[in-house]
Amino acid sequence: EVADLNTVRRNSTTTGNSTASLNFAGYNPPDSSKLGNTEEWNGSSWTEVADLNTTRYGASGNGVGSSLAHCFGGNVPGSTANTELWDGSSWTETANLSTARGYMSGFGSPTAGAASTGYSTTYHNNTEEFTLSLSASTDASWASGGAMNTGRSEGMTAGTQTASLMSGGIVPGSDAMTNNSEEYNGSSWSEGN
């Protein structure tokens, strides 16, 4: 047990590692108000820092420590394609996803990352890849990647833009859960164990 977040929430997003990370977005029961709150973890405590420009829950993201991160997608309510970049002190709007959705999986780094699957009015199987030039933060774009074999939301993903693994999630059929896993090689997904 370590220090608690300052703001109680669920469906938030965490990026980084055990000594430097960010927690952002989410919603706060019992009134389920959507949040833009961002908190920074320094290895021993959480500190409230600059909020997201767009409040949301069920967003995804990726990050390196607490100095560089992305937040993309989520619900406002209604799905959003909105993407924001964290530079260590504030959030800035960047290029949006092609497909608005929440509850997707983010993987990779803030300069070479990806978003896959998710839910809006249907379960998605598409992957979008993000590239960012740190020398020109406006030089950011999303491009289509390979489609997963099984569309889902809330799956768990680990890895890089060119080598990752997704497992579990919710698939169509009265919120049915799955133990299906797939591997990504940077262009296509293949069934795993």
Side-chain angles (χ1 to χ4, degrees):
E1 176 67 21
V2 293
D4 293 344
L5 285 162
N6 294 288
T7 302
V8 173
R9 65 184 96 179
R10 66 187 225 186
N11 292 118
S12 64
T13 304
T14 302
T15 64
N17 56 53
S18 63
T19 59
S21 59
L22 292 175
N23 179 275
F24 47 87
Y27 72 84
N28 187 332
D31 64 357
S32 298
S33 57
K34 59 188 190 295
L35 302 170
N37 298 53
T38 301
E39 297 189 36
E40 184 175 354
W41 174 255
N42 64 8
S44 61
S45 63
W46 293 98
T47 302
E48 177 69 24
V49 291
D51 290 353
L52 286 160
N53 295 292
T54 301
T55 59
R56 63 187 99 178
Y57 60 91
S60 192
N62 53 35
V64 177
S66 58
S67 60
L68 187 64
H70 268 109
C71 173
F72 38 85
N75 299 291
V76 294
S79 298
T80 183
N82 181 273
T83 300
E84 298 184 39
L85 174 69
W86 173 258
D87 65 5
S89 61
S90 63
W91 292 98
T92 304
E93 293 283 336
T94 64
N96 289 339
L97 289 160
S98 297
T99 303
R101 52 196 154 142
Y103 304 112
M104 73 192 96
S105 293
F107 53 98
S109 73
T111 55
S116 192
T117 67
Y119 184 83
S120 54
T121 57
T122 187
Y123 290 92
H124 297 279
N125 69 343
N126 62 315
T127 299
E128 296 183 50
E129 297 179 356
F130 185 89
T131 56
L132 171 71
S133 168
L134 292 178
S135 61
S137 61
T138 57
D139 183 17
S141 61
W142 288 97
S144 294
M148 290 198 74
N149 296 289
T150 302
R152 67 187 86 185
S153 68
E154 302 179 51
M156 301 302 293
T157 310
T160 66
Q161 190 184 68
T162 58
S164 61
L165 173 71
M166 176 181 279
S167 58
I170 299 174
V171 295
S174 301
D175 291 334
M177 292 179 284
T178 182
N179 61 357
N180 173 273
S181 67
E182 299 188 33
E183 294 179 54
Y184 192 56
N185 64 9
S187 60
S188 62
W189 291 92
S190 58
E191 292 289 338
N193 292 327

